[in-house]
Amino acid sequence: MNPARDLVKLSEADVVIVGAGSAGLTAAMYVARSGLRTVVFERKLSFGGGIGGGGMFFHKLVVQSPADEILREIGCPFEKVREGLFVVDTSAMIAKLASSAIDAGAKIILGVTVDDVIFRGRRQPRIVGVVIQWTSVIMSGIHVDPLGVKAKAVVDCTGMTPKY
């Protein structure tokens, strides 16, 4: 499909998810499965967020119940350590989560930063979308107008504390 047409199509979504780590990919999978038009924006050029390094940069991650139910659901292999505690390969988890989100119908856009949210209403302000910019534009310090994306809901899965 033409990338410009694809971008226009993505300019309105039911749900925008910010961050393609484990939380963002899991949310995208469930939201898209429910039939909502779902777009995930990830500032990096890869998905997985911080889980790629696992604990202490090992290639394994410890997972507690009930998260093992999600791993079973997406077909991700893991080992049981003891009751309610499991170990999973980070690469397998990232790949299975991303694949499951895409298979559910979510669109994942890499290399795009959500720079701001769009508010409407004075008495009861509500978020109606996000402002996006290519990460490379931000890193280079040049000026390129950002784009607005309408959304009925925005889910922050960056794992970062907002700076207000």
Side-chain angles (χ1 to χ4, degrees):
M1 175 184 251
N2 181 318
R5 273 190 238 146
D6 199 26
L7 196 56
V8 169
K9 191 175 175 184
L10 296 172
S11 68
E12 289 191 39
D14 292 320
V15 179
V16 166
I17 296 172
V18 185
S22 56
L25 294 172
T26 302
M29 176 183 70
Y30 288 121
V31 170
R33 275 187 191 167
S34 74
L36 296 172
R37 196 172 24 177
T38 307
V39 180
V40 180
F41 292 110
E42 170 56 51
R43 69 181 171 88
K44 296 179 183 177
L45 292 174
S46 60
F47 28 70
I51 65 175
M56 303 297 289
F57 294 110
F58 289 115
H59 61 287
K60 300 283 186 174
L61 189 69
V62 176
V63 175
Q64 286 183 276
S65 280
D68 59 305
E69 295 171 21
I70 297 169
L71 296 176
R72 279 187 194 85
E73 186 178 339
I74 63 174
C76 184
F78 60 91
E79 298 173 40
K80 183 175 180 178
V81 176
R82 64 175 189 245
E83 195 60 40
L85 197 61
F86 309 89
V87 174
V88 63
D89 183 88
T90 56
S91 295
M93 184 173 156
I94 291 166
K96 292 287 189 174
L97 282 171
S99 177
S100 295
I102 292 166
D103 290 347
K107 184 71 174 176
I108 302 172
I109 308 297
L110 303 173
V112 172
T113 298
V114 172
D115 204 32
D116 207 346
V117 291
I118 303 169
F119 286 94
R120 293 290 183 260
R122 289 200 170 143
R123 286 191 177 162
Q124 289 190 330
R126 60 188 172 89
I127 295 174
V128 297
V130 296
V131 177
I132 61 170
Q133 183 59 275
W134 279 264
T135 303
S136 58
V137 169
I138 294 170
M139 291 173 70
S140 68
I142 61 174
H143 177 78
V144 175
D145 289 336
L147 300 173
V149 176
K150 287 183 179 180
K152 295 175 185 171
V154 177
V155 181
D156 180 355
C157 292
T158 61
M160 298 179 67
T161 304
K163 295 175 182 119
Y164 297 106

